[in-house]
Amino acid sequence: RSPSRSCHVVTTVFPSALFSFLSVQTFDKILIANRGEIACRVMKTCKKMGIKTVAVHSDVDANAVHVKMADEAVCVGPAPTSKSYLNMDAIMNAIRQTGAQAVHPGYGFLSENKEFAKRLAAEGVSFIGPDTHAIQAMGDKIESKLIAKAAKVNTIPGFDGVVKDADEAVRIANEIGYPVMIKASAGGGGKGMRIAWNDEETREGFRFSSQEAASSFGDDRLLIEKFIDNPRHIEIQVLADKHGNALWLNERECSIQRRNQKVVEEAPSTFLDPETRRAMGEQAVSLAKAVNYSSAGTVEFLVDSRKNFYFLEMNTRLQVEHPITECITGLDLVQQMIRIAKGFPLQHTQAEIPINGWAIESRVYAEDPYKSFGLPSIGRLSQYQEPLNLHNVRVDSGIEEGSDISIYYDPMISKLVTYGATRAEALKKMEDALDNYVIRGVTHNIPLLREIIVHPRFISGDISTKFLPEVYPEGFKGHQLTATGRKELLATAASLFVAAQLRAQKFLGDLRLQERRSWELCVELEKGVHMLGVSRSGATYTVEIDGDKLEVSSDWNLASPLLTVTLNGIHRTLQCLSRNAAGEISLQYLGTTFKLRVLSKLAAALSVHMPEKVPEDTSSILRSPMPGTVVAVSVKAGDTVAEGQEICVIEAMKMQNSMTAAKTAKVRSVHCKPGETVGEGDLLVELE
Amino acid sequence: MAALAAVRRCRVLLHGAVKSSFRGSPSQPRSYSAGRLSVQERIERKRQAALVGGGQKRIDAQHGRGKLTARERVALLLDPDSFVEYDAFVEHRCSDFGMEADHNKFPGDSVVTGQGRINGRLVYVFSQDFTVFGGSLSGAHAQKICKIMDQAMLVGAPVIGLNDSGGARIQEGVESLAGYADIFLRNVMASGVVPQISLIMGPCAGGAVYSPALTDFTFMVKDTSYLFITGPDVVKSVTNEDVTQEELGGAKTHTAVSGVAHKAFENDIDALLNLREFFNFLPLSNKDPSPVTECHDPSDRLVPGLDTLVPLESTKAYDMLDVIHSIVDERDFFEIMPNYAKNIVVGFARMNGRTVGIVGNQPKVASGESKAPIRYQHLISKLYYCCLDINSSVKGARFVRFCDAFNVPIITFVDVPGFLPGTAQEYGGIIRHGAKLLYAFAEATVPKITIITRKAYGGAYDVMSSKHLRGDVNYAWPSAEVAVMGAKGAVQIIFRGKNNQADAEAEYVEKFANPFPAAVRGFVDDIVVPSTTRRRICRDLEVLATKKQTNPWKKHANVPL
C-alpha cells in the first residue's frame, strides 16, 4: 500500500510529529478488533510506530483492505456482525493464537463494551481505551449525568433520577419548564425518546417511551430533561493518561446530521469564542478526571444560540471524526492512545495544543441522498478513485476498486478530510475533492455533501442539528441549476458529444478525412430542449447557446471518468458517468448527476415521430425495492390477495419492509422463499 | 399545425437529399434546345417523385405508426451528405391488375438503394419504402438490392438492409419470388466476404424473413417490427393458437426466446444511431484487418478490482460482464444477443483500439434460464450455473465464426463446469449443438486468447478455446481449476465405496482445484495476476497481429448443423 494513502495532512502540517513515532517502545503486536476504514486507520499508525498488526475478519471480508494491510489476519466467523466482529470468544482466541499484546477496538462493535475490556484485562492483554470503570460510568445516561454534575459540568436542567410514573413526570416537567424531553436511561439512536410541550404530551410521552424502552432495551427506566430547541452539536476531544493528566484538544462542530448521524464535521467551530471554548474544554477535562479517564475520549455538548452549553454524553472511544482534530492539532490520536495504554504520560501540556488552520470532514456514504437524506445502497465499486492527487486532502477508507459494499456492514465508503489555512480554503478544497472523487457501482451521497458545503447558511456558519430538514423541507432534490450553470452543462455535453463523434472517425491508416468544423445540435436537459451551435478550433469548442458564446477546452480524454474542462476561462471538473450511441450523456456537475441527450438537428427533428413508450404495468409484478433478505412470504401461487395485503417481508439494513399487493388479484407465481437474499429490482411475486 | 411543421421539416430533408443525389452532375439549367429542356424537366419531375415515395399521405401514415420513412432512415444512418443513390428511376414492370397505370408507377419503386459513409467508411445500403405498395418486393425492387450487393462484394464493403416490407408483390407473382431468391443467393455468396447487417424496422414476413436470417446480424426495433413465417391469422387457422403479432414475432420474442434477432432497440432513431456505433466495430470485408480506432485508454492499465472479483467459494456467482467491462477499452462493450442464452456472453469490444470479439461464460446465470417465459423460470434448477447448453453453444458458435471470417481476434473468458445434463438437453441434441461451438473454435485461425477465470471442467474445458484447439495464448487466473469434474463427483467415482470421502475430496481439491495441473503440462501459458490481464492481452494482440494460419484446402467444411 502506497504511503500516499497515509495521513498526509498531519505529516505535511506538522512534520515534527513524525519524529515521535519511533521514539518509544510500546507494544510489539496489536490486534485491531474492527474492520473497514478505522481498522486501516489504526494500522497506519501501528506501522509508523513499528508495531505488528493483526486483523480480524468475517469470511466475506477475507479479501478486504484491512486484511491485506495487516501482518496477520484471523477469520472470526461468518458475515453477520454478531457472529464475527462481536464474537468475543473468537476474538479472544485470535488474540491467544497470534500473541497480540494489546487490542485496539476502533469505534462501534466492542469499543465501548465493558465485558470485552474485562476479559482482556483478565488475560493480561491491554485494551487501548479507558478502563472498565470509565466505560461503565459514561455508558449509562443517568449515572454519567450525576457524575458530570458532581464534576461541575453544565448539564441539561432536568431530573437526575428515574421517573416513577406519569404524575411525577408532569410534576418534574413543570419544575424544569417546557419543552422537555423524555428519554430512556439505557437508550440511544432516538429510540424511546419523546418531546413534550405540555402536561398532556408529557403523560402520553411517558407511556410511549416506557413501552418503547422496555421493548428495545429491556429496561424501562426513563429520565426527563429540558429540551434544547435548535441546538448545535459541538464536542470536545480529550486525552488523558494513567497518571491523572488530561488535555482538551479543542472542539469539533458536528451539527450537520441526518437521523442523529453526523454527515459533515469541522474543526474548529465557527461558533465558539475562546472563552466558551476554554470553559467547555476545562469542563470536559474535569469530567475525564472525575472518572479517572485514560485514553482518547469525546465529551459531547449541546450548545444553544446564546452559547450556553450542556453536557450530553461522553464517548469512551476514538470517534469517527477524529481526523479533523488531528489536522488542526498535529497530534496522531491513535499513537497517543497506544502510548497511554502502555502507561506513558502525556507528551504535551495544554498550552502546546494549537488550533492550526481549519479542517472539514465529509462522510462519504453508499446511500441514496434523495431518499430521506440517505437510504443505504449496496453494490460493487466498479470504479473507485480517491482525490489524493490534490494537496491537503486526506481520505480514510477501508475499501478499494472492486470492493463490495454489502448489506452486512456500515455503508460508509470513506471519510474525506480537507485542510486549509482558513475555513474558506478548506471548503474550496472540499469542493475540488468531491468533484474529483470517482465512485461507480454504488449510489453515493456526494450530491448532498457537495450542496451542503456551498450552502450560504453553512458558509456563514448558521447551522444547527436541524440544518438539513430546515434547508430542504421537501427532501433533498440535488443541485438546482442556475442559468449560467445550465449553459455550462449544455456546452460541456455538446462539446463532449462532438469530441466523441470526431474520434469515432479516426481509424488507423485512414488518411481520407477532412474533419468537420461546425455542428448544429439539439440538447435535452431537464425537459428543456436547447438548440446549440458548436464550432471547433483544435481542442477548443465554441458553443453558442441563446446568443451567448462559451469557449470549452479540454484534453477530451474519453477514457477518463473525470472530465476537466475550462469554460470561458473557469476550471471545472465534471464526471462523465455514461455516454451511449443514442446521444444520452450523464454528467456529474457540482456533485449532482444530470441526464442529457445530445442529438443532431436532423435526429432531433425526426424524434417527434417516435412513439411514446408505455411503461410496464407494474401493478401485477412485485419487485424488491432494495437489496435484502426475504424474511417471510405470506402468499402462495393460486391465492387471491386484496389490494394492500401483505405479500412478503424484506429485511434490509436491519429494517423490515412489508411488501403489499398493488391490486386485488390472484397470485400467478412466487419467485422468492424465506431466507433468500434478493437484489434491487428482483422479481418477488407475479399477480394475474 | 403539427402536420404543417412536419411537412416543412420534410422539405428541408428532401432538399438535402436532392443536393446529394445531384452531386457531380450539372445542377444549373443550361441553354439546351426546347426538346432537351423537356427531358430535363422530366428528369427533375421524376427525381422529385422518387423523393416523396408513396406521397405525403402515406408518409404521414408512416410517421403516425411511429416509423420514419426510408429516406429519413438513410439520412440518419449515414454521414451527412454522403448518400449516393442508385436506380432512382427504376420502375416496376408489372402490367397486370392495372399496375401499368401511371399512378401506380413510382420512380425508384419500393426501395431506396445506394452507398454512403458511416464515420467516413464505405457502406452499401438498401432501405425498403413502406409508403410504396407497403414496401412489397417486386422484380425491380429485388434487382435494385442485387445491384448494390454485387457492387459491395466487388469493392469489399458491408451491406446494411433496412427492412420494412409487407412481403411479395402479389401482382407480380413468380417474378417477385424470383427476386427473393436472387437476393438469397447473393446473401449466401456475400456471406463471409463482406459483413451483412439487417435492421428490421417494420413487418418482415413469409419468405422475406430468410434474407435477414442469412445475414450476419439481425437487429429489430421494439414494438414496430415483426418477423414471422406466417402471421397470427394463419397460425390460428392451422394450429388454433391465439397469438398476437408481438408475441409471435416481435422484438422480445426474437431477442429472448427464438434467438433469431441479435438485439432490439427502442425506436427507429435509437436503432440507427446504435447501428452507426456497431458498424465502427466491423472490418469492411474479409480482406480487411480488424479496424483500429484512436484509443484514450492506456493499454497497460491495471485493473485492481479483478484481484478480488472471483469469490472465494467456488460455487458463488459473480458477473462476467464486470470482468469484460473493466478489461476492454473504456468499458465499451457492444453485447450481441444480451437477452438470449444469457449463460454465455458474446459481443464486440476494443483492446488498445483494435476490435476484438469477446466470448465469456456467465456464472451469474443458470443455464437454460433465458429460454423459458418468466413465469416458468422458478422451475429451472439453479444448480447448473454457466454450464454450456444448446442455446449458448449455438449463440457462441455463430459469433466465433463471424469473428474468424472477418479477422477479428477472439478473447475467451472461461468459467464453465461442463455441459448441462438432462433429458431436455439430450433429446434436444446437445451433442450436435455443442459440437458447433467446438467446431467453431477449432477451425478459427484468427488470434485466440483465452483466460480461465475459475472452472474449466471436462469437455467444456476443451471446447472453450483451449490450447488443444490452437489457442494462441492461454492464461489461468490463480482461482482457475482445470479438471475433469468437480471434487465431489470425482471422488465418488475414484473412491467408490470407500469411507474417507471427505479426506479424498480434500486431496482432490489440493491436487486439481488449482491451475497447476494445466500449467505444468503447458496447457496454459502462464498463471497471471488478474489485475494485469488487460496489459497482457493488449501486448499479446500486438504480437499476434501478424499471425498467419490456414486450414487445409477444402471445398467447404462440414460444420455439424
Side-chain angles (χ1 to χ4, degrees):
Chain A
R1 196 134 298 276
S2 78
S4 69
R5 284 178 74 113
S6 68
C7 333
H8 104 210
V9 176
V10 177
T11 53
T12 44
V13 179
F14 295 100
S16 62
L18 264 181
F19 295 108
S20 58
F21 280 108
L22 298 166
S23 56
V24 291
Q25 184 61 39
T26 52
F27 301 101
D28 297 325
K29 194 188 268 186
I30 292 180
L31 179 139
I32 294 96
N34 214 307
R35 66 180 298 282
E37 69 89 13
I38 194 62
C40 297
R41 160 72 192 90
V42 173
M43 286 181 207
K44 271 170 205 160
T45 292
C46 289
K47 282 180 193 295
K48 281 185 191 161
M49 296 174 75
I51 301 170
K52 289 203 173 63
T53 54
V54 180
V56 292
H57 63 88
S58 64
D59 52 11
V60 293
D61 270 347
N63 275 326
V65 177
H66 79 276
V67 174
K68 290 188 212 161
M69 216 173 146
D71 298 305
E72 288 172 72
V74 181
C75 180
V76 288
T81 53
S82 59
K83 292 179 181 156
S84 50
Y85 295 102
L86 290 170
N87 181 348
M88 277 191 239
D89 291 337
I91 292 173
M92 293 308 298
N93 277 336
I95 293 166
R96 281 177 221 123
Q97 184 189 326
T98 57
Q101 300 157 333
V103 171
H104 197 298
Y107 52 73
F109 295 137
L110 299 171
S111 62
E112 289 170 292
N113 187 313
K114 53 183 187 283
E115 186 59 33
F116 184 55
K118 256 185 217 155
R119 285 181 70 170
L120 290 176
E123 302 215 3
V125 177
S126 300
F127 178 73
I128 303 176
D131 62 21
T132 334
H133 164 68
I135 296 176
Q136 177 160 3
M138 293 294 108
D140 186 284
K141 284 207 162 71
I142 293 177
E143 196 184 340
S144 68
K145 203 172 167 186
L146 290 172
I147 296 171
K149 222 170 178 182
K152 303 218 159 29
V153 175
N154 300 356
T155 53
I156 298 174
F159 182 63
D160 298 333
V162 176
V163 185
K164 282 201 277 298
D165 54 33
D167 288 335
E168 194 185 357
V170 170
R171 188 177 53 74
I172 298 165
N174 280 300
E175 271 173 34
I176 301 166
Y178 286 107
V180 296
M181 184 187 278
I182 303 161
K183 59 182 186 183
S185 177
K191 280 226 174 72
M193 228 185 237
R194 282 286 188 289
I195 293 156
W197 296 79
N198 55 44
D199 292 357
E200 200 178 317
E201 284 178 14
T202 308
R203 283 177 201 284
E204 203 173 276
F206 181 86
R207 202 171 63 243
F208 281 127
S209 290
S210 56
Q211 281 167 6
E212 250 177 61
S215 68
S216 300
F217 316 111
D219 175 353
D220 63 356
R221 292 176 304 145
L222 296 182
L223 53 137
I224 296 186
E225 61 186 27
K226 189 168 180 65
F227 172 63
I228 314 288
D229 199 16
N230 224 15
R232 285 169 176 262
H233 177 121
I234 299 178
E235 58 191 28
I236 301 286
Q237 175 73 53
V238 295
L239 201 57
D241 63 18
K242 294 182 172 174
H243 308 279
N245 306 310
L247 295 171
W248 48 276
L249 306 183
N250 300 310
E251 78 280 11
R252 293 187 289 259
E253 163 82 73
C254 312
S255 296
I256 308 289
Q257 305 185 345
R258 50 116 178 83
R259 300 195 302 274
N260 290 326
Q261 278 186 303
K262 298 159 188 170
V263 183
V264 175
E265 299 108 339
E266 60 183 309
S269 165
T270 55
F271 190 61
L272 297 192
D273 49 50
E275 292 77 50
T276 316
R277 176 174 298 125
R278 187 176 332 108
M280 288 171 77
E282 284 168 355
Q283 290 195 5
V285 161
S286 67
L287 177 62
K289 286 183 172 167
V291 290
N292 290 326
Y293 199 85
S294 68
S295 192
T298 298
V299 182
E300 296 190 338
F301 292 97
L302 287 182
V303 183
D304 73 13
S305 51
R306 290 183 300 279
K307 294 197 173 72
N308 296 315
F309 57 90
Y310 306 99
F311 168 71
L312 196 61
E313 61 179 355
M314 181 170 188
N315 295 320
T316 56
R317 53 169 156 88
L318 188 65
Q319 295 273 100
V320 176
E321 60 273 24
H322 74 275
I324 51 177
T325 297
E326 297 185 326
C327 287
I328 61 162
T329 60
L331 291 176
D332 181 324
L333 288 179
V334 174
Q335 183 207 10
Q336 297 301 325
M337 288 175 82
I338 294 171
R339 283 176 49 90
I340 291 167
K342 183 68 183 177
F344 287 101
L346 293 177
Q347 287 171 304
H348 304 273
T349 62
Q350 189 63 49
E352 289 169 1
I353 304 301
I355 296 185
N356 233 323
W358 214 286
I360 319 264
E361 174 180 283
S362 294
R363 295 199 192 179
V364 181
Y365 277 104
E367 58 183 25
D368 184 349
Y370 299 99
K371 294 179 189 161
S372 349
F373 302 113
L375 281 190
S377 69
I378 60 162
R380 180 174 180 272
L381 290 165
S382 55
Q383 273 182 296
Y384 183 76
Q385 202 175 301
E386 293 172 352
L388 291 169
N389 52 326
L390 304 176
H391 193 57
N392 278 346
V393 171
R394 163 175 169 176
V395 183
D396 280 19
S397 66
I399 42 99
E400 60 190 347
E401 190 168 302
S403 293
D404 270 312
I405 308 282
S406 73
I407 51 173
Y408 300 111
Y409 309 114
D410 188 74
M412 190 159 82
I413 296 173
S414 79
K415 303 182 308 203
L416 175 62
V417 181
T418 61
Y419 177 81
T422 62
R423 186 168 185 258
E425 214 178 287
L427 281 175
K428 180 75 192 69
K429 186 64 73 179
M430 184 59 81
E431 287 180 34
D432 291 347
L434 288 170
D435 285 343
N436 281 279
Y437 204 148
V438 178
I439 303 171
R440 303 279 192 278
V442 294
T443 314
H444 54 75
N445 67 339
I446 283 181
L448 177 64
L449 297 170
R450 184 69 174 71
E451 278 301 287
I452 291 172
I453 57 153
V454 295
H455 195 277
R457 266 189 64 184
F458 181 82
I459 289 175
S460 69
D462 172 21
I463 54 175
S464 75
T465 52
K466 290 184 180 156
F467 178 84
L468 288 177
E470 276 174 14
V471 169
Y472 308 107
E474 315 270 284
F476 180 63
K477 298 268 187 278
H479 175 74
Q480 303 300 309
L481 287 173
T482 60
T484 322
R486 184 177 304 274
K487 282 179 184 167
E488 287 190 359
L489 193 53
L490 290 167
T492 309
S495 304
L496 182 64
F497 176 83
V498 168
Q501 294 264 305
L502 283 176
R503 193 187 59 161
Q505 304 178 343
K506 286 184 183 147
F507 289 91
L508 187 73
D510 205 341
L511 306 169
R512 150 198 49 74
L513 266 173
Q514 195 183 333
E515 281 192 352
R516 233 174 121 179
R517 302 229 155 251
S518 72
W519 291 261
E520 279 184 287
L521 301 175
C522 176
V523 187
E524 288 169 32
L525 168 62
E526 292 181 336
K527 291 180 181 152
V529 179
H530 307 261
M531 297 302 300
L532 274 66
V534 183
S535 56
R536 184 183 69 92
S537 141
T540 302
Y541 298 92
T542 306
V543 184
E544 260 195 85
I545 311 172
D546 307 331
D548 276 1
K549 276 192 182 174
L550 271 95
E551 289 219 329
V552 190
S553 49
S554 168
D555 62 354
W556 302 117
N557 182 326
L558 298 172
S560 166
L562 293 174
L563 179 62
T564 309
V565 294
T566 310
L567 288 147
N568 278 353
I570 299 164
H571 272 289
R572 287 233 186 269
T573 303
L574 290 85
Q575 296 191 23
C576 180
L577 303 171
S578 66
R579 188 162 56 78
N580 68 19
E584 288 161 350
I585 297 178
S586 281
L587 288 179
Q588 181 183 313
Y589 172 71
L590 304 178
T592 296
T593 300
F594 294 92
K595 288 186 164 38
L596 299 101
R597 184 160 196 212
V598 186
L599 288 174
S600 68
K601 198 176 165 187
L602 174 65
L606 291 175
S607 59
V608 297
H609 302 304
M610 293 300 101
E612 289 272 333
K613 295 281 166 175
V614 190
E616 175 189 33
D617 175 21
T618 49
S619 66
S620 57
I621 295 173
L622 185 71
R623 292 183 187 280
S624 175
M626 73 212 114
T629 314
V630 180
V631 180
V633 181
S634 338
V635 298
K636 56 183 191 300
D639 287 0
T640 304
V641 290
E643 187 181 328
Q645 186 182 331
E646 181 178 286
I647 289 183
C648 62
V649 179
I650 307 279
E651 185 182 286
M653 310 279 171
K654 302 205 166 71
M655 279 180 355
Q656 298 213 338
N657 302 276
S658 170
M659 305 284 121
T660 55
K663 63 176 185 187
T664 303
K666 210 164 167 188
V667 177
R668 173 179 285 164
S669 54
V670 177
H671 300 268
C672 59
K673 312 193 266 291
E676 227 173 42
T677 46
V678 289
E680 187 178 332
D682 278 7
L683 184 69
L684 301 172
V685 168
E686 242 190 313
L687 305 177
E688 278 179 359
Chain B
M1 218 27 214
L4 205 68
V7 171
R8 200 176 308 130
R9 251 192 316 278
C10 205
R11 285 216 184 103
V12 172
L13 291 176
L14 297 179
H15 183 67
V18 173
K19 226 166 56 191
S20 64
S21 55
F22 264 105
R23 183 186 276 183
S25 65
S27 53
Q28 292 297 313
R30 293 181 190 174
S31 50
Y32 294 121
S33 68
R36 293 187 110 184
L37 199 68
S38 102
V39 170
Q40 187 67 35
E41 259 175 21
R42 278 168 62 200
I43 293 171
E44 199 58 31
R45 201 167 299 157
K46 287 269 185 199
R47 221 184 263 284
Q48 287 302 335
L51 293 178
V52 292
Q56 193 57 48
K57 227 168 104 185
R58 293 205 177 92
I59 290 175
D60 292 344
Q62 177 83 348
H63 286 159
R65 283 182 212 107
K67 302 197 294 182
L68 299 179
T69 66
R71 283 177 193 279
E72 287 166 346
R73 287 167 174 167
V74 170
L76 273 180
L77 175 65
L78 301 180
D79 294 346
D81 301 336
S82 73
F83 182 53
V84 179
E85 185 171 352
Y86 295 167
D87 291 340
F89 296 101
V90 165
E91 292 173 359
H92 73 77
R93 300 176 290 266
C94 181
S95 52
D96 299 320
F97 311 111
M99 288 295 280
E100 68 280 17
D102 265 0
H103 68 270
N104 274 340
K105 296 264 185 173
F106 295 87
D109 205 34
S110 50
V111 66
V112 177
T113 60
Q115 44 96 339
R117 307 254 164 195
I118 293 178
N119 286 316
R121 299 195 312 154
L122 183 63
V123 62
Y124 284 80
V125 184
F126 69 86
S127 176
Q128 293 179 320
D129 188 347
F130 197 78
T131 66
V132 177
F133 299 118
S136 61
L137 188 125
S138 63
H141 179 135
Q143 178 198 328
K144 282 180 73 171
I145 293 175
C146 291
K147 185 191 270 184
I148 61 145
M149 290 183 74
D150 289 341
Q151 202 175 71
M153 282 178 71
L154 284 174
V155 303
V159 179
I160 294 179
L162 307 178
N163 297 63
D164 188 359
S165 161
R169 181 85 48 93
I170 298 168
Q171 295 90 334
E172 292 200 4
V174 72
E175 183 156 5
S176 174
L177 298 183
Y180 276 125
D182 291 342
I183 297 171
F184 298 157
L185 176 67
R186 278 162 182 83
N187 284 137
V188 174
M189 290 300 108
S191 180
V193 179
V194 294
Q196 302 179 77
I197 304 157
S198 302
L199 175 55
I200 316 300
M201 309 187 81
C204 183
V209 297
Y210 285 110
S211 176
L214 289 166
T215 60
D216 298 302
F217 295 100
T218 303
F219 299 119
M220 293 182 80
V221 180
K222 287 180 191 167
D223 303 327
T224 50
S225 73
Y226 310 100
L227 273 165
F228 36 67
I229 299 282
T230 49
D233 296 343
V234 180
V235 169
K236 172 79 184 164
S237 68
V238 175
T239 69
N240 206 26
E241 286 172 291
D242 273 314
V243 66
T244 63
Q245 277 201 89
E246 181 64 35
E247 280 171 0
L248 184 62
K252 207 169 177 180
T253 302
H254 286 312
T255 53
V257 182
S258 74
V260 165
H262 295 87
K263 204 165 193 163
F265 302 102
E266 286 306 315
N267 56 44
D268 279 14
I269 295 178
D270 194 43
L272 292 161
L273 293 177
N274 271 290
L275 196 48
R276 283 177 62 85
E277 178 115 329
F278 175 67
F279 186 80
N280 258 23
F281 284 104
L282 306 180
L284 296 183
S285 75
N286 61 355
K287 296 277 188 334
D288 262 24
S290 198
V292 181
T293 57
E294 184 180 299
C295 170
H296 297 164
D297 203 352
S299 64
D300 60 353
R301 172 170 60 85
L302 292 178
V303 191
L306 291 182
D307 290 338
T308 53
L309 183 79
V310 177
L312 298 167
E313 303 140 74
S314 73
T315 50
K316 217 171 148 196
Y318 60 97
D319 191 348
M320 192 59 90
L321 282 170
D322 282 342
V323 177
I324 296 168
H325 282 139
S326 60
I327 284 179
V328 303
D329 288 357
E330 301 177 13
R331 308 182 69 78
D332 186 8
F333 178 55
F334 193 99
E335 193 175 348
I336 300 293
M337 301 179 102
N339 294 319
Y340 180 80
K342 290 194 221 174
N343 47 335
I344 200 165
V345 175
V346 301
F348 295 102
R350 296 185 181 88
M351 294 298 284
N352 202 15
R354 178 184 277 108
T355 297
V356 293
I358 307 255
V359 180
N361 304 114
Q362 174 56 289
K364 215 181 82 168
V365 179
S367 305
E369 185 168 32
S370 59
K371 203 183 168 187
I374 200 159
R375 55 178 178 271
Y376 298 129
Q377 278 184 11
H378 63 285
L379 296 174
I380 293 160
S381 162
K382 300 224 167 191
L383 279 172
Y384 292 100
Y385 282 92
C386 67
C387 273
L388 287 173
D389 57 5
I390 294 173
N391 291 344
S392 57
S393 299
V394 175
K395 171 179 168 181
R398 178 133 180 94
F399 181 75
V400 167
R401 297 196 89 211
F402 175 85
C403 292
D404 185 46
F406 292 101
N407 314 318
V408 175
I410 299 163
I411 297 169
T412 310
F413 294 97
V414 184
D415 186 348
V416 61
F419 281 96
L420 183 65
T423 51
Q425 291 291 311
E426 295 293 357
Y427 295 175
I430 179 69
I431 298 174
R432 188 159 55 87
H433 296 294
K436 292 177 185 174
L437 186 58
L438 170 61
Y439 191 103
F441 272 122
E443 75 172 337
T445 55
V446 290
K448 289 187 284 193
I449 299 174
T450 307
I451 296 96
I452 301 173
T453 61
R454 192 166 60 183
K455 290 174 208 157
Y457 287 172
Y461 153 73
D462 284 339
V463 170
M464 294 300 292
S465 195
S466 63
K467 198 76 191 163
H468 324 288
L469 302 183
R470 301 190 294 187
D472 295 299
V473 183
N474 294 55
Y475 292 127
W477 282 2
S479 46
E481 308 168 12
V482 186
V484 174
M485 56 172 75
K488 206 172 195 125
V491 168
Q492 277 167 6
I493 295 168
I494 305 173
F495 300 96
R496 193 188 299 272
K498 303 246 171 75
N499 287 331
N500 54 343
Q501 298 270 313
D503 290 350
E505 214 174 299
E507 188 191 339
Y508 185 91
V509 167
E510 174 69 23
K511 230 176 207 145
F512 290 122
N514 57 59
F516 297 117
V520 294
R521 289 166 178 81
F523 299 160
V524 296
D525 300 294
D526 201 356
I527 300 168
V528 300
V529 180
S531 54
T532 62
T533 308
R534 171 176 166 83
R535 195 157 81 175
R536 304 286 292 239
I537 296 175
C538 286
R539 218 158 45 184
D540 294 330
L541 285 171
E542 291 305 321
V543 171
L544 293 168
T546 50
K547 175 184 176 186
K548 280 187 188 66
Q549 189 170 41
T550 43
N551 292 330
W553 186 91
K554 47 187 104 174
K555 186 177 174 198
H556 66 69
N558 190 11
V559 59
L561 291 172

